[in-house]
């Protein structure tokens, strides 16, 4: 479904990605783990065409997307939920949701999908007319995910969705990810909360200083003591 | 007194239209469009020319001038905004300033520096409501200005385009990941803003009976002060401040002296910047960031 080959990205003199390659099959959950500054967010931003790479190729469903516009990717079902729950704080929860379906024209389908998104995240139901900024951190993350679902994603890229959330919220959104997977949505999950991410993933990539240092079956990775200690130790207490 | 208040309301409603254009571009794109006064001048100028040269009826001339100014906004985006480096905050401000000066010089070269005068036949009769004298033109101006502003308010708050514009205003990156075509939003922001200024130009022309090619740097630029008084990027703030300034100007020219009227907007601007930099009605963006 997604195939990234030899991706190089720089911010001025800083080389953030140094030849990253990665493959995701349809229906898989793939997690990318790595410490702060490893280049995880840069990878997702480059895939969703927010950042220009220096070189490399990105194919989505068999077509090169390296020259596509971000809205064309949204049309094709590649949806990015960025780090720090980028919801629109001044707009209402309902407006956030409806903007998630910005590229869609099927009014009836949009209506049904709002119902469905609200059934996943019932806390949002009573807050539709509230400004996004008045929600708690956990609720904002739920809104960000619900909004992404409004675009009918084929591939959902989530950048550290559990960051800064209370364990209760973390468990709740991970349960949702499992449900989404069962529905056939492919997921690329970037996490520092690696133990929990690997527990729902099929495959895991370890990113370090802009390079993939390990790509393995998620269960194998979880058993790898050296990796667990080096990269995954941080959030053990949560899982 | 009531007469002055009504005259001020009429004058102010056109100021509001100009200020709303400034604040729309600022709110969505975070840039100061210094060609906006010239869009207003072009609108007024073309409006008069269409009536004089082509004998167009007033509604058509108004529509024509609005569309022409809107196209000017499109050109402004393509020439002065899109190719210019946004990270250098002065760049778009300076390029739009240059665009405005070129427009003004073009008009002076093509049509001369004398004001264009509306044909007298257009000026309709006055009538009285109780003791207050109101001209039909003034009523028309007020009704159109209000209709345009209500229309814009509806567009911004209730339509998908308006939501896209507000989303882009809040975060361009977020707008992009939602699939909003930010280039399209940018063009439409410039076009709508310039079209409103063009309409305001015709309305002011009707009120004054004439338009000078230099009106962009006298009355047009007042809209900039009014935008800041109302709060950067705050549409309703610009609306109310425009009317406030119009009324204060009228009262000043009657009770203090006409020569002081033009300083009202700028005096108010300085007071607001000192006492309440976020504007009377609050800024829609973080003022510290500007
Ligand atoms: N906008 C930016 N400008 C300059 N350097 C950046 C920018 N964003 C990220 N970086 C740098 O690129 C590297 C990778 O960052 P990032 O992709 O955010 O890592 P992660 O998401 O894994 O924490 C880091 O060294 C970071 O400092
Ligand atoms: Mg990151």
């Amino acid at each position: 479904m997604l195939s990234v080959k030899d991706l190089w990205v720089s911010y001025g003199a800083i080389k953030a990605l140094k030849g990253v390659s990665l493959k995701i099959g349809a229906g898989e959950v793939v997690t990318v783990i790595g410490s702060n500054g490893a280049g995880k967010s840069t990878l997702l931003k480059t895939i969703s065409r927010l950042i220009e790479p220096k070189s490399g190729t990105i194919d989505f469903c068999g077509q090169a997307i390296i020259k596509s516009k971000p809205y064309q990717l949204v049309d094709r079902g590649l949806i990015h939920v960025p780090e720090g729950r980028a919801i629109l704080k001044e707009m209402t929860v309902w407006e956030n949701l409806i903007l998630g379906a910005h590229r869609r024209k099927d009014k009836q389908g949009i209506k049904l999908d709002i119902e469905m998104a609200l059934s996943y995240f019932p806390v949002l139901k009573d807050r539709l007319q509230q400004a996004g900024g008045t929600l708690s951190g956990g609720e904002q993350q739920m809104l960000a995910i619900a909004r992404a679902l409004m675009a009918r994603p084929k591939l959902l890229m989530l950048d550290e969705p559990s960051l800064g959330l209370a364990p209760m919220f973390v468990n709740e959104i991970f349960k949702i990810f499992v449900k989404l997977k069962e529905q056939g949505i492919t997921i690329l999950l970037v996490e520092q909360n690696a133990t929990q991410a690997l527990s729902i993933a099929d495959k895991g990539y370890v990113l370090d200083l802009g390079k993939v240092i390990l790509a393995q079956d998620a269960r194998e990775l979880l058993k790898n003591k050296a990796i667990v200690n080096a990269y995954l130790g941080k959030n053990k207490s949560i899982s | 007194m009531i007469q002055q208040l009504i005259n001020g309301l009429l004058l102010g409603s056109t100021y509001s239209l100009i200020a709303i254009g400034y604040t729309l571009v600022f709110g969505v794109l975070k840039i100061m469009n210094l060609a906006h006064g010239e869009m207003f001048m072009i609108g007024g100028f073309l409006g008069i020319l269409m009536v004089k040269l082509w004998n167009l009826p007033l509604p058509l001339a108004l529509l024509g001038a609005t569309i022409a100014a809107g196209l000017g906004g499109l050109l402004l985006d393509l020439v002065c905004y899109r190719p210019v480096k946004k990270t250098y905050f002065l760049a778009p401000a300076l390029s739009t300033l240059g665009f405005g000066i070129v427009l003004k010089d073009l008009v002076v070269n093509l049509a001369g520096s004398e004001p264009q005068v509306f044909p007298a036949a257009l000026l309709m009769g006055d009538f009285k409501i109780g003791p207050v004298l109101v001209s039909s033109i003034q009523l028309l101006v007020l009704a159109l200005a209000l209709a345009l502003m209500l229309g814009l308010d509806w567009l911004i708050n209730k339509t998908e385009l308006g939501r896209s514009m507000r989303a882009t205003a809040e975060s361009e990156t977020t707008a992009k990941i939602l699939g909003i075509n930010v280039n399209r939003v940018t063009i439409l922001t410039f076009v709508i803003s310039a079209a409103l200024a063009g309409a305001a130009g015709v309305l002011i022309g009707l009120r004054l009976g004439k338009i000078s090619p230099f009106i962009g740097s006298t009355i047009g630029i007042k809209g900039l002060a009014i935008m800041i008084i109302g709060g950067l990027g705050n549409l309703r703030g610009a609306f109310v401040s425009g009317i406030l300034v119009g009324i204060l100007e009228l009262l000043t020219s009657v009770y203090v002296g006409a020569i002081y009227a033009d300083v009202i907007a700028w005096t108010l601007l300085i007071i607001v910047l000192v006492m309440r930099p976020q504007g009377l009605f609050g800024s829609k963006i973080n003022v510290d960031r500007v």
Side-chain angles (χ1 to χ4, degrees):
Chain A
M1 168 154 277
L2 184 81
S3 162
V4 175
K5 276 196 200 109
D6 200 24
L7 202 59
W8 290 75
V9 178
S10 308
Y11 299 100
I14 302 167
K15 290 198 172 85
L17 295 184
K18 301 177 232 174
V20 169
S21 298
L22 163 144
K23 253 195 163 66
I24 304 177
E28 278 184 338
V29 175
V30 169
T31 182
V32 174
I33 54 189
S35 45
N36 233 337
K40 305 181 298 294
S41 299
T42 304
L43 175 64
L44 295 200
K45 286 180 196 162
T46 312
I47 295 172
S48 61
R49 300 289 297 122
L50 296 172
I51 300 179
E52 253 352 280
K54 277 253 146 45
S55 65
T57 61
I58 307 172
D59 290 350
F60 178 60
C61 298
Q63 269 179 296
I65 56 167
I66 205 90
K67 293 254 171 345
S68 301
K69 297 263 189 296
Y71 61 84
Q72 294 170 323
L73 298 183
V74 172
D75 283 344
R76 300 183 51 195
L78 201 170
I79 307 299
H80 182 179
V81 180
E83 199 171 22
R85 42 193 103 95
I87 62 149
L88 296 160
K89 294 195 166 62
E90 289 183 14
M91 299 179 72
T92 65
V93 169
W94 182 81
E95 286 176 322
N96 268 277
L97 288 172
I98 207 82
L99 274 172
H102 178 71
R103 299 292 298 179
R104 291 172 55 187
K105 299 279 174 286
D106 54 324
K107 284 217 164 100
Q108 215 46 44
I110 293 173
K111 241 188 200 161
L112 290 176
D113 282 359
I114 288 195
E115 296 293 316
M116 196 186 65
L118 291 177
S119 73
Y120 277 129
F121 302 105
V123 283
L124 299 177
K125 213 175 254 172
D126 303 328
R127 322 208 159 191
L128 286 175
Q129 295 312 320
Q130 245 170 275
T134 63
L135 302 183
S136 75
E139 290 162 351
Q140 290 188 19
Q141 188 57 267
M142 291 183 186
L143 176 57
I145 297 167
R147 187 179 66 184
L149 294 180
M150 293 301 299
R152 295 234 167 125
K154 290 198 182 88
L155 171 60
L156 191 58
M157 304 197 295
L158 299 143
D159 196 346
E160 302 208 34
S162 73
L163 193 69
L165 297 193
M168 184 185 78
F169 280 124
V170 176
N171 290 331
E172 199 165 330
I173 61 170
F174 269 84
K175 268 187 216 143
I176 301 275
F177 298 156
V178 173
K179 273 195 211 163
L180 295 178
K181 184 192 175 177
E182 282 163 4
Q183 281 185 21
I185 298 178
T186 310
I187 297 177
L188 173 53
L189 176 62
V190 161
E191 265 296 344
Q192 285 196 40
N193 184 359
T195 327
Q196 198 153 6
L198 283 170
S199 70
I200 67 162
D202 300 300
K203 226 162 52 186
Y205 286 79
V206 181
L207 203 61
D208 188 45
L209 298 175
K211 280 185 178 156
V212 173
I213 56 165
L214 202 59
Q216 245 178 356
D217 188 275
R219 257 174 270 154
E220 296 295 314
L221 260 180
L222 264 179
K223 281 189 228 148
N224 186 326
K225 280 268 154 52
I227 288 296
V228 168
N229 288 338
Y231 295 99
L232 323 179
K234 209 177 299 181
N235 290 304
K236 256 186 202 156
S237 56
I238 291 178
S239 52
Chain B
M1 179 74 185
I2 292 179
Q3 177 80 59
Q4 303 314 330
L5 283 180
I6 290 190
N7 288 342
L9 178 67
L10 296 169
L11 177 63
S13 62
T14 29
Y15 286 171
S16 299
L17 270 184
I18 307 172
I20 277 176
Y22 273 111
T23 217
L24 186 63
V25 168
F26 198 94
V28 176
L29 306 170
K30 316 287 178 291
I31 68 152
M32 206 68 100
N33 173 11
L34 294 178
H36 192 63
E38 262 50 63
M39 296 295 165
F40 159 72
M41 179 272 286
I42 289 280
F45 224 77
L46 288 177
I48 292 183
L49 287 181
M50 285 184 215
V51 171
K52 266 200 345 201
L53 300 182
W54 300 345
N55 280 320
L56 284 187
L58 185 58
L60 274 188
L62 178 67
L63 187 66
T66 306
I67 292 173
L71 291 176
L74 174 74
L75 192 66
L76 180 66
D77 173 47
L78 296 179
V79 174
C80 295
Y81 182 70
R82 196 171 300 184
V84 164
K85 194 169 180 181
K86 276 89 181 172
T87 42
Y88 178 39
F89 78 101
L90 264 181
L94 291 177
S95 66
T96 54
L97 178 67
F99 187 87
I101 292 172
V102 171
L103 264 189
K104 182 164 54 190
D105 283 355
L106 264 178
V107 168
V108 169
N109 277 323
L110 292 175
S113 53
E114 288 303 306
Q116 296 288 325
V117 182
F118 257 110
L122 258 185
L123 306 173
M124 298 173 262
D126 300 344
F127 56 88
K128 282 196 153 190
I129 304 174
V132 183
L133 187 71
V134 187
S135 76
S136 318
I137 286 287
Q138 286 182 327
L139 267 189
L140 182 71
V141 168
L142 182 65
L144 281 172
L146 285 178
L148 285 172
M149 284 182 286
L150 287 176
L152 182 71
D153 200 70
W154 172 80
L155 177 89
I156 296 290
N157 288 305
K158 294 281 184 272
T159 68
E160 187 66 15
L161 174 61
R163 283 192 287 272
S164 315
M165 290 168 88
R166 281 183 289 138
T168 308
E170 222 185 300
S171 160
E172 206 179 301
T173 307
T174 304
K176 280 184 184 162
I177 60 140
L178 291 173
I180 292 169
N181 184 340
V182 172
N183 275 340
R184 182 168 159 270
V185 167
T186 304
I187 291 182
L188 288 171
T189 303
F190 273 111
V191 168
I192 292 169
S193 154
L196 288 176
V202 179
L203 299 184
I204 277 269
L206 285 172
R207 184 177 181 280
L208 301 174
K210 60 183 183 193
I211 291 278
S212 145
F214 305 109
I215 200 168
S217 20
T218 53
I219 295 184
I221 198 82
K222 255 185 220 170
L224 191 61
I226 294 167
M227 155 175 89
I228 297 166
I229 293 167
L232 286 168
N234 186 335
L235 291 174
R236 289 177 185 172
F239 171 68
V240 177
S241 305
I243 288 182
L244 182 70
V245 167
I247 289 175
L248 285 179
E249 275 191 7
L250 245 290
L251 294 180
T252 308
S253 66
V254 169
Y255 296 105
V256 186
I259 48 166
Y260 293 107
D262 271 341
V263 305
I264 288 296
W266 302 100
T267 311
L268 206 54
L269 168 69
I270 294 168
I271 295 172
V272 164
L273 283 179
V274 172
M275 316 272 292
R276 209 179 139 76
Q278 71 274 38
L280 293 181
F281 304 96
S283 174
K284 288 286 171 197
I285 63 162
N286 185 353
V287 175
D288 296 335
R289 221 171 50 195
V290 179

